[in-house]
Amino acid sequence: MKSLTNRIGLPPKLMMGYAGLVVFMMGEGLEQGWLSPFLVSGGLSIQQSALLFSVYGIAAALAAWLSGVLSEMFGAQRVMTAGVIIFIIGSVFFISVGLPSHNLYVMIPTYALRGFGYPLFAYSFLVWVAYEAPTEKLGSAVGIFWFCYSGGLNVLGALYSSIALPYLGEMVTLWSALVFVVIGATIAIFLNREKAAKKGTDERPTMAYLLKGITIAFEKPKIGMGGIVRTINTSAAYGFTVFMPLFFMEIGFTRGEWLQIYACLWSVNIIFNLLFGVISDRLGWRNTVMWFGGMGCATFTVLFYYVPLWSGANFLLTMLIAGCFGACLAAYVPLSAIMPTLAPENKGAAMSILNLGAGLSTFLGPAVVGIFIGSLGTVGVIWVFAGLYVFSAFLMKFVTLPKNQNLVVPAGSVD
């Protein structure tokens, strides 16, 4: 059993963490597909909703950046525990005080606190994975991480919402999220007796090491570019949740159909997280991100708007396009293998830049919507996202790995 799990990139000591991550992220993301239209129906404008999600994204970005270096300073499990506590506090105040008031001055800080908590849990575990997984299987191991992350956040959460909302309503559904968060955290942290790996040197990280999570992007520009690419990666997916439900319902889809389409997008994504993780170990990490990720996402971002616009509320055809977009999002998975490999002596700091990009993605998507939806409309926002994906493909041309890197991949495929 142990040799089997190691062969597919899933070390036995991480199995509990992977399982807990799925359940935790299910609770964290169950409102993503419907919270924006719910807020708009309650009196907020699209721009105000975008602002709420953008500030949430800033908080998530800050926590994502901190997770890498804090994990090396205090240990991944301690940082994960802190993230759970912060998430629960933010959720309680957002649901009980912020939402009923419909006052942005209350909603923004409480929702931001929720956004600050979950990356400390999830991305600290990713640092744990980066240390535990063997280098030659790292692409597969991080693929499994993103499989669990996206599976809980965007698939199971959305599917649960589509079932629970008609019976429980929005507020009770939000409260029920805390059940999944507590269960997931218990599995990943408190039932897992294995300790996270220590930093690979005898140096004990201090507060000064925190700065390494910033300076490394300038000391090693390839890491900085990788962080930008990761920021672009899921930006459109997070932006879609702000304005696409309204667009889809305008052309004839129901809210339930939109949630199923959104769940399909991420269901395909989690499958391809695994596939691209394994495939990229053979075809090359950089080329996978550049062609399947950047150019593929640019293509299907545009089609995700034009196909339902031209065909009407064609559920199956739109599901197909959503699935293709989700598959291309997964092609960015090798970034989680590239970044620590570019700085083997400072994996935590490199992962902080990667995690910062993941967090900034939750800010960039809604921010693009908030900035351009008023002047360019829905179609303009779509083309802005498509352009960002093309730009990410261009940047990957310069994110090359050392020629002497000891990786089990075809010669020349990773540089």
Side-chain angles (χ1 to χ4, degrees), residues 116-351:
F116 190 83
Y118 90 83
L120 293 179
F121 177 89
Y123 297 135
S124 295
F125 178 64
L126 180 58
V127 175
W128 190 354
V129 172
Y131 272 111
E132 293 292 350
T135 300
E136 68 275 10
K137 292 294 184 180
L138 189 54
S140 303
V142 297
I144 295 168
F145 169 87
W146 291 113
F147 173 89
C148 297
Y149 180 99
S150 298
L153 177 67
N154 300 303
V155 179
L156 296 179
L159 288 175
Y160 169 75
S161 289
S162 68
I163 297 171
L165 283 172
Y167 300 99
L168 303 180
E170 288 82 2
M171 299 300 290
V172 177
T173 299
L174 281 173
W175 280 115
S176 68
L178 295 180
V179 176
F180 297 106
V181 166
V182 171
I183 293 175
T186 300
I187 295 172
I189 302 173
F190 303 110
L191 297 183
N192 193 347
R193 298 181 180 179
E194 294 288 349
K195 298 297 183 182
K198 298 294 184 182
K199 188 174 181 286
T201 69
D202 293 331
E203 172 192 359
R204 182 179 178 181
T206 64
M207 290 304 295
Y209 186 76
L210 195 64
L211 295 176
K212 181 64 71 173
I214 299 176
T215 60
I216 196 170
F218 300 96
E219 296 168 1
K220 297 179 180 290
K222 294 175 183 178
I223 289 179
M225 286 187 283
I228 295 173
V229 172
R230 180 61 185 91
T231 301
I232 295 171
N233 177 195
T234 47
S235 60
Y238 288 114
F240 285 166
T241 62
V242 178
F243 73 109
M244 288 299 275
L246 301 171
F247 166 71
F248 270 66
M249 285 184 270
E250 284 175 2
I251 61 178
F253 288 101
T254 66
R255 182 172 71 170
E257 287 174 330
W258 156 253
L259 288 173
Q260 291 172 33
I261 291 169
Y262 190 69
C264 172
L265 185 160
W266 291 106
S267 296
V268 175
N269 174 261
I270 64 172
I271 295 172
F272 276 84
N273 279 338
L274 290 175
L275 293 179
F276 275 125
V278 176
I279 292 171
S280 68
D281 282 337
R282 296 181 175 275
L283 298 184
W285 296 342
R286 185 194 64 172
N287 290 334
T288 300
V289 175
M290 184 165 53
W291 295 112
F292 291 99
M295 299 309 297
C297 282
T299 300
F300 287 104
T301 294
V302 173
L303 292 178
F304 196 45
Y305 171 80
Y306 282 105
V307 167
L309 180 68
W310 292 337
S311 65
N314 189 320
F315 184 69
L316 293 179
L317 185 58
T318 304
M319 288 267 279
L320 175 63
I321 298 300
C324 290
F325 176 75
C328 292
L329 282 181
Y332 285 88
V333 156
L335 278 173
S336 298
I338 292 173
M339 297 288 271
T341 305
L342 289 171
E345 73 286 359
N346 283 300
K347 288 185 178 181
M351 293 300 287

